[in-house]
Amino acid sequence: MNPKKDVTESVYYKLAGQIGHIIFLQLMFVISIFPIPLPFLFVKYEIGNFIFMTPLFFLVAPALAALSSATLYVLESEDVKHLGIYFWKQYRKLFLDALKIGIPVILAASIILIDIASMQKSSTPIFSWFFILLLLVL
């Protein structure tokens, strides 16, 4: 005789639980980077405004680090509890380490974007491409 299995032991139930946890983590990620798109609603698209808002993009690096850490926690753990609290603890714990990697990457990306925007307005675009290539080589 086969004993009846509980509904919570089903593979589909566990898969649906993990998908729910991952969707919740995505929502936590969006909440953690919410200050980034908010200023774009109220300012014009200009290079000066982009330079002013570049420090907001530094929030992305710790949010990605916390998202990846919490996702690994969901995938490795059998019993996931207090996922939101775990996400914010990882965000706070990994904040400085993620900024060490994120700041140079974000600064390089912002320089490239500003160069491309100024290249579109200049009459000699070859010099702008030279600086973009120089930055990539650097």
Side-chain angles (χ1 to χ4, degrees), residues 10-48:
S10 170
V11 174
Y12 297 117
Y13 183 83
K14 292 178 183 178
L15 181 66
Q18 285 186 343
I19 290 172
H21 290 309
I22 290 174
I23 290 172
F24 178 73
L25 285 175
Q26 295 296 322
L27 289 174
M28 296 298 286
F29 175 76
V30 168
I31 289 169
S32 66
I33 64 167
F34 185 70
I36 296 172
L38 192 61
F40 286 107
L41 297 174
F42 303 108
V43 297
K44 284 196 229 177
Y45 177 70
E46 294 177 356
I47 295 175

Side-chain angles (χ1 to χ4, degrees), residues 29 33 36 56-68 91 94-95 97-103 106:
F29 175 76
I33 64 167
I36 296 172
L56 288 175
F57 287 100
F58 296 142
L59 297 173
V60 173
L64 282 174
L67 178 67
S68 63
Y91 185 86
L94 300 171
F95 189 81
D97 290 335
L99 282 182
K100 291 176 187 173
I101 297 170
I103 287 174
I106 291 170

Side-chain angles (χ1 to χ4, degrees), residues 24-25 28 66 70 73 80-93:
F24 178 73
L25 285 175
M28 296 298 286
Y73 171 69
V80 177
K81 292 184 179 178
H82 311 293
L83 189 57
I85 294 171
Y86 182 80
F87 178 86
W88 290 111
K89 281 184 181 178
Q90 291 300 314
Y91 185 86
R92 188 175 46 214
K93 177 183 168 188

